[in-house]
Amino acid sequence: MYKSFLQNFNSKVRLTEEEEAFIKNYLTPKKLRKKQYLLQETDICKFIAFVEKGALRAYSVDENGKEHIIQFALEGWTISDLYSFLTSEPATYNIDALEDSELVLISKAAHEELLQKLPKYETYFRIQITGAYIAMQKRLTSIISSPLEERYKNLTALYPTIVERVPQHMIASYMGLQPETLSRIRRKIAAKK
Amino acid sequence: MYKSFLQNFNSKVRLTEEEEAFIKNYLTPKKLRKKQYLLQETDICKFIAFVEKGALRAYSVDENGKEHIIQFALEGWTISDLYSFLTSEPATYNIDALEDSELVLISKAAHEELLQKLPKYETYFRIQITGAYIAMQKRLTSIISSPLEERYKNLTALYPTIVERVPQHMIASYMGLQPETLSRIRRKIAAKK
DNA sequence: AAAAAGCATTGACTTTGGTCAATGCTTGAG
DNA sequence: CTCAAGCATTGACCAAAGTCAATGCTTTTT
């Protein structure tokens, strides 16, 4: 239990056995069926979720009812509505499972206590969020500066697993496109080979 | 000296006088003239810069020589090429001054020593980067899910100072648009009032 | 096994943003 | 003070992405 989470933690900040045992007290396992919600808009986000197994997405819904995916999380990734989590304001994102999934949840209380009591947890969190920041900055840069074709190639190069496992119309949504447009871009790329 | 930086720090993590004095040893002041570079692509980014006064931008340049602004930093904000800073790989962004500016630099060595020696620094950094992450996520969400008009209104509502102080074609670049397009959007908004 | 739902693709057409060129205004350097 | 450069705006035209509708697969559900 928590194997993948602890492995991820140790790869960033080395823990002793006692520390591992200590942390386990603050973790909660959770299983989700495909299509099940982990978080719904207007709920208050009470956890950070680490994906042990499976796949999730975070998305917002606009006035026209259209979904816009802002993040995927596969094995080894973390997902949450951080703003809601930290401020206790209602969430602006929905999070649900794209496949049957196994998660490790860190509740808000657990998060705060761990920050207090285990400096290594703060270090782990800092490293995680810094990595997430850099990854998102790259995504943003690619959006404002690369042509669509590049962006799609980039995405498949960087996250081949996501492109394989996730339906194409969700990839389109993640890129801010209509499914038809992505389909046409793929055709164009295929034609060039 | 360092007044605004220390004030910002204290607002997030309260420091004693001794701690303040201690931190000052790790800081370097720097003045930049308008248009001067703080960092050029292919350099290795050796610092995090806190803006005491003035305005800067970070941008990338594409194959066609076009600039794409990925961040502005006014008073109280922090700017850097974090990826380059943390990995010592060549920077992918340029950073220069939009106005005469006064900065506080934290070198890589200083950053690492402060993380080691002063737990409050790690806390400060964690809070900063978390805030930056959330802000960027909002920007990203707005890009993939809102129509242009909304995005511009949002930007002026959220960062009126930036829109006032920065030339319009740079705002366009920040939004991933041509200057002409932004001009037309502004006209459209103005017409509705 | 049959029916239904979800998905990717394609075509025709519309809308939106980009490109190119010109104008007039403001700012800054010499 | 003058001239050049930078900037915002507009118009005419072009290219790219969105919309709507239809088709044929595949996957789920019953």
Side-chain angles (χ1 to χ4, degrees), chain A residues 37-106:
Chain A
Y37 282 109
L38 178 65
L39 173 73
Q40 296 196 56
E41 223 176 314
T42 73
D43 286 358
I44 288 165
C45 180
K46 297 202 156 60
F47 42 72
I48 298 173
F50 177 90
V51 183
E52 290 263 331
K53 202 166 172 316
L56 289 86
R57 87 229 243 237
Y59 63 97
S60 64
V61 179
D62 69 21
E63 328 79 69
N64 308 317
K66 282 195 182 160
E67 296 176 357
H68 302 276
I69 296 179
I70 74 126
Q71 194 200 339
F72 293 112
L74 304 191
E75 289 82 9
W77 285 81
T78 293
I79 195 164
S80 177
D81 182 331
L82 257 200
Y83 177 74
S84 171
F85 179 75
L86 293 172
T87 63
S88 297
E89 299 277 326
T92 53
Y93 302 122
N94 300 276
I95 299 178
D96 64 12
L98 302 177
E99 306 171 359
D100 294 353
S101 301
E102 293 172 24
L103 311 175
V104 179
L105 302 187
I106 302 171

Side-chain angles (χ1 to χ4, degrees), chain B residues 33-186:
Chain B
R33 285 282 169 70
K34 185 171 173 170
K35 297 202 178 178
Q36 231 184 311
Y37 281 110
L38 179 63
L39 173 74
Q40 296 197 54
E41 224 175 312
T42 74
D43 287 358
I44 289 165
C45 180
K46 297 201 157 58
F47 42 72
I48 299 173
F50 177 90
V51 183
E52 290 263 333
K53 201 164 172 317
L56 289 85
R57 86 227 243 238
Y59 63 96
S60 64
V61 179
D62 68 20
E63 328 79 69
N64 308 317
K66 281 192 184 163
E67 296 176 356
H68 301 275
I69 296 178
I70 74 124
Q71 193 200 341
F72 293 111
L74 305 191
E75 289 84 8
W77 285 80
T78 293
I79 195 164
S80 177
D81 183 329
L82 256 201
Y83 177 74
S84 171
F85 179 75
L86 293 172
T87 63
S88 296
E89 299 278 325
T92 52
Y93 302 122
N94 301 276
I95 300 178
D96 65 12
L98 302 177
E99 307 172 359
D100 294 352
S101 300
E102 294 172 23
L103 311 175
V104 179
L105 301 187
I106 303 172
S107 72
K108 173 127 181 163
H111 176 72
E112 280 167 359
E113 242 183 279
L114 281 169
L115 281 178
Q116 290 297 324
K117 297 190 177 166
L118 188 72
K120 282 183 184 174
Y121 177 79
E122 177 158 43
T123 302
Y124 171 70
F125 184 81
R126 167 180 59 84
I127 293 175
Q128 282 276 94
I129 187 93
T130 304
Y133 174 87
I134 290 173
M136 190 157 59
Q137 195 173 55
K138 281 188 184 162
R139 181 175 167 203
L140 190 61
T141 304
S142 145
I143 288 182
I144 63 172
S145 63
S146 302
L148 276 188
E149 232 181 285
E150 290 307 313
R151 281 174 59 199
Y152 182 72
K153 280 189 205 161
N154 238 294
L155 184 65
T156 50
L158 210 57
Y159 304 112
T161 347
I162 293 182
V163 179
E164 276 163 27
R165 275 163 68 177
V166 168
Q168 201 173 296
H169 72 275
M170 290 193 184
I171 303 288
S173 165
Y174 180 79
M175 295 180 71
L177 302 176
Q178 298 313 114
E180 295 95 329
T181 305
L182 180 54
S183 172
R184 284 173 185 127
I185 288 168
R186 281 161 49 83

Side-chain angles (χ1 to χ4, degrees), chain A residues 5-20:
Chain A
F5 172 73
L6 290 171
Q7 191 181 316
N8 182 268
F9 200 124
N10 270 295
S11 77
K12 273 148 187 155
V13 192
R14 193 90 211 151
L15 290 170
T16 66
E17 303 229 335
E18 298 78 52
E19 286 166 337
E20 276 201 14

Side-chain angles (χ1 to χ4, degrees), chain A:
Chain A
M1 186 102 86
Y2 310 137
K3 205 170 148 219
S4 161
F5 172 73
L6 290 171
Q7 191 181 316
N8 182 268
F9 200 124
N10 270 295
S11 77
K12 273 148 187 155
V13 192
R14 193 90 211 151
L15 290 170
T16 66
E17 303 229 335
E18 298 78 52
E19 286 166 337
E20 276 201 14
F22 179 75
I23 284 187
K24 282 184 182 171
N25 296 319
Y26 292 95
L27 306 177
T28 316
K30 172 146 188 153
K31 293 196 181 194
L32 273 193
R33 284 280 169 72
K34 185 171 174 172
K35 297 200 178 178
Q36 232 184 313
Y37 282 109
L38 178 65
L39 173 73
Q40 296 196 56
E41 223 176 314
T42 73
D43 286 358
I44 288 165
C45 180
K46 297 202 156 60
F47 42 72
I48 298 173
F50 177 90
V51 183
E52 290 263 331
K53 202 166 172 316
L56 289 86
R57 87 229 243 237
Y59 63 97
S60 64
V61 179
D62 69 21
E63 328 79 69
N64 308 317
K66 282 195 182 160
E67 296 176 357
H68 302 276
I69 296 179
I70 74 126
Q71 194 200 339
F72 293 112
L74 304 191
E75 289 82 9
W77 285 81
T78 293
I79 195 164
S80 177
D81 182 331
L82 257 200
Y83 177 74
S84 171
F85 179 75
L86 293 172
T87 63
S88 297
E89 299 277 326
T92 53
Y93 302 122
N94 300 276
I95 299 178
D96 64 12
L98 302 177
E99 306 171 359
D100 294 353
S101 301
E102 293 172 24
L103 311 175
V104 179
L105 302 187
I106 302 171
S107 71
K108 173 129 181 164
H111 176 72
E112 280 168 359
E113 242 183 280
L114 282 168
L115 281 176
Q116 291 298 323
K117 298 192 177 164
L118 188 71
K120 282 182 184 174
Y121 178 78
E122 177 157 41
T123 302
Y124 171 70
F125 184 82
R126 167 179 61 83
I127 293 174
Q128 282 277 94
I129 186 94
T130 304
Y133 174 86
I134 289 173
M136 189 157 59
Q137 195 172 53
K138 281 187 184 159
R139 181 175 168 204
L140 189 60
T141 304
S142 143
I143 290 182
I144 62 171
S145 62
S146 301
L148 274 189
E149 234 181 282
E150 291 307 314
R151 280 173 59 199
Y152 182 71
K153 281 189 205 161
N154 238 295
L155 184 64
T156 49
L158 209 58
Y159 304 111
T161 347
I162 293 182
V163 178
E164 276 162 29
R165 277 163 67 177
V166 167
Q168 199 173 297
H169 71 276
M170 289 192 187
I171 303 287
S173 165
Y174 179 79
M175 295 179 71
L177 302 176
Q178 298 313 115
E180 294 96 329
T181 305
L182 180 54
S183 171
R184 283 172 187 129
I185 287 168
R186 279 162 49 83
R187 179 172 38 163
K188 224 160 126 191
I189 292 174
K192 289 192 182 165
K193 293 197 182 157

